[in-house]
Amino acid sequence: MERSLSMELVRVTEAAALSSARWMGRGQKMEADDAATTAMRDVFDTIPMKGTVVIGEGEMDEAPMLYIGEKLGTGSGPLVDIAVDPLEGTNIVASGGWNALAVLAVADHGNLLHAPDMYMDKIAVGPEAVGQIDINASVIDNLKAVAKAKNKDIEDVVATVLNRPRHEEIIAQLREAGARIKLIEDGDVAAAINTAFDQTGVDILFGSGGAPEGVISAVALKCLGGEIQGRLLPQNEEEIKRCEKMGIDLKQVLRMEDLVRGDDAIFAATGVTDGELLRGVQFKGSYGQTHSVVMRAKSGTVRFVDGRHSLEKKPHLVMKP
């Protein structure tokens, strides 16, 4: 992939964030998601690449999709596979909460796991604890491993978990161990990425969330030198058959090399609402301000990008060549 592709992709997440941020707190998650999806598609089609969507928007909430198999880009340039979540945290935007993102991940063709849209059990950490976690181990053993790797007491380790009834046992074990807990309502891509940045205060992610989001998180953590492990959790016979058709062993632990292969991948995200890592979109007069992160696995470069966008000169958030 060309080095310049990184900065081109930030334009995509910026447009999605600017469009969906207008819906913050208005209780209309589908409208917010549709705005992000439309803006993302429009800007993607100005980028010199031959892209194919291999992970699109989630089918679980019947959201408007950038559909799997859709072709994006100008049709010239590198051949890449794309994983997108135009609005990671639709409920967050609808309620005006924290950590909604516009996110995407890109890798050379054939290098991303085509994760089915179902739940995945996950555990994720940043660079300091790579090689120390095991999704098959107990909560307490993983806490001990991360505490040792980061030179902390268990009481100082912060674990983040989606606040769901299915995670009651994990939460109970974390509390029994004395760890600190950050419960989140949505947005486990942001939660996974946060484990790799000291300023977020998050050390480890536990629990299940969407499998497509697991692949997107894996690309980000590959760029950051972190680690995620996953295991698919089909909820019914239809989902089991779907995994079997794809040749996926349900007992298999999906590791970094299973989720994203090769030595190169790009991840980009723009904050829609404020979070620990990225600020949300701000509007003032005819301008919108964005805060983004873009990273590349091959170089290890991580850039934070502040954008100031004239909404008069680019009313549709894209300037066609």
Side-chain angles (χ1 to χ4, degrees):
M1 290 187 291
E2 281 97 350
R3 182 172 52 190
S4 60
L5 190 58
S6 296
M7 297 309 295
E8 289 281 356
L9 292 171
V10 174
R11 294 173 46 234
V12 178
T13 57
E14 286 175 338
L18 284 161
S19 293
S20 57
R22 291 289 192 187
W23 295 93
M24 188 181 80
R26 294 170 62 181
Q28 296 173 285
K29 70 174 187 177
M30 300 301 287
E31 288 79 358
D33 201 20
D34 187 40
T37 300
T38 300
M40 188 170 269
R41 179 182 284 113
D42 287 347
V43 182
F44 257 131
D45 285 339
T46 70
I47 295 177
M49 66 178 187
K50 292 177 281 188
T52 301
V53 177
V54 298
I55 291 178
E57 278 223 79
E59 296 164 7
M60 285 182 181
D61 59 0
E62 299 179 353
M65 289 200 297
L66 278 160
Y67 60 87
I68 293 171
E70 182 171 354
K71 304 300 182 182
L72 298 172
T74 62
S76 62
L79 183 65
V80 297
D81 287 349
I82 304 167
V84 295
D85 196 343
L87 183 53
E88 210 263 329
T90 55
N91 290 319
I92 296 172
V93 173
S95 65
W98 277 60
N99 277 320
L101 302 174
V103 298
L104 64 84
V106 172
D108 289 318
H109 178 63
N111 283 355
L112 294 180
L113 176 71
H114 296 193
D117 191 12
M118 62 182 63
Y119 286 117
M120 176 189 282
D121 191 22
K122 307 171 191 176
I123 184 171
V125 291
E128 292 170 285
V130 167
Q132 305 304 309
I133 56 170
D134 183 354
I135 199 170
N136 291 319
S138 66
V139 168
I140 184 64
D141 285 345
N142 280 302
L143 284 174
K144 287 178 179 177
V146 171
K148 182 178 180 180
K150 302 192 77 168
N151 195 28
K152 290 184 173 186
D153 295 327
I154 286 180
E155 292 79 5
D156 297 327
V157 172
V158 176
T160 188
V161 185
L162 277 168
N163 189 15
R164 299 287 189 273
R166 65 180 183 269
H167 293 149
E168 287 177 356
E169 181 60 30
I170 292 175
I171 294 167
Q173 292 179 45
L174 288 168
R175 287 173 174 163
E176 184 177 353
R180 303 166 69 204
I181 308 172
K182 180 172 287 189
L183 294 176
I184 58 174
E185 296 304 319
D186 285 291
D188 65 345
V189 172
I193 299 168
N194 284 347
T195 64
F197 291 93
D198 286 341
Q199 66 264 38
T200 67
V202 175
D203 299 300
I204 185 168
L205 165 74
F206 285 105
S208 60
E213 288 84 354
V215 176
I216 294 172
S217 299
V219 173
L221 288 171
K222 184 181 183 75
C223 296
L224 293 164
E227 180 180 5
I228 186 170
Q229 297 175 14
R231 185 189 293 108
L232 292 175
L233 297 173
Q235 303 296 298
N236 52 49
E237 189 65 30
E238 181 183 347
E239 290 187 352
I240 292 173
K241 289 180 179 179
R242 191 171 177 183
C243 292
E244 291 173 348
K245 186 177 181 181
M246 295 178 69
I248 296 174
D249 181 357
L250 295 178
K251 296 180 181 179
Q252 179 186 0
V253 173
L254 298 169
R255 303 184 186 276
M256 294 292 286
E257 60 270 22
D258 301 309
L259 298 165
V260 52
R261 294 179 289 277
D263 64 354
D264 203 7
I266 297 170
F267 173 90
T270 300
V272 180
T273 62
D274 288 338
E276 293 91 346
L277 187 66
L278 296 174
R279 300 185 303 276
V281 175
Q282 299 292 324
F283 295 105
K284 185 175 183 180
S286 61
Y287 289 91
Q289 291 183 290
T290 57
H291 188 213
S292 307
V293 62
V294 59
M295 32 189 148
R296 188 181 182 195
K298 190 171 185 177
S299 64
T301 301
V302 179
R303 288 186 174 92
F304 287 90
V305 181
D306 285 300
R308 186 170 183 261
H309 309 268
S310 171
L311 305 177
E312 290 181 346
K313 293 183 178 180
K314 291 199 300 182
H316 302 296
L317 307 175
V318 58
M319 190 172 288
K320 299 282 186 182

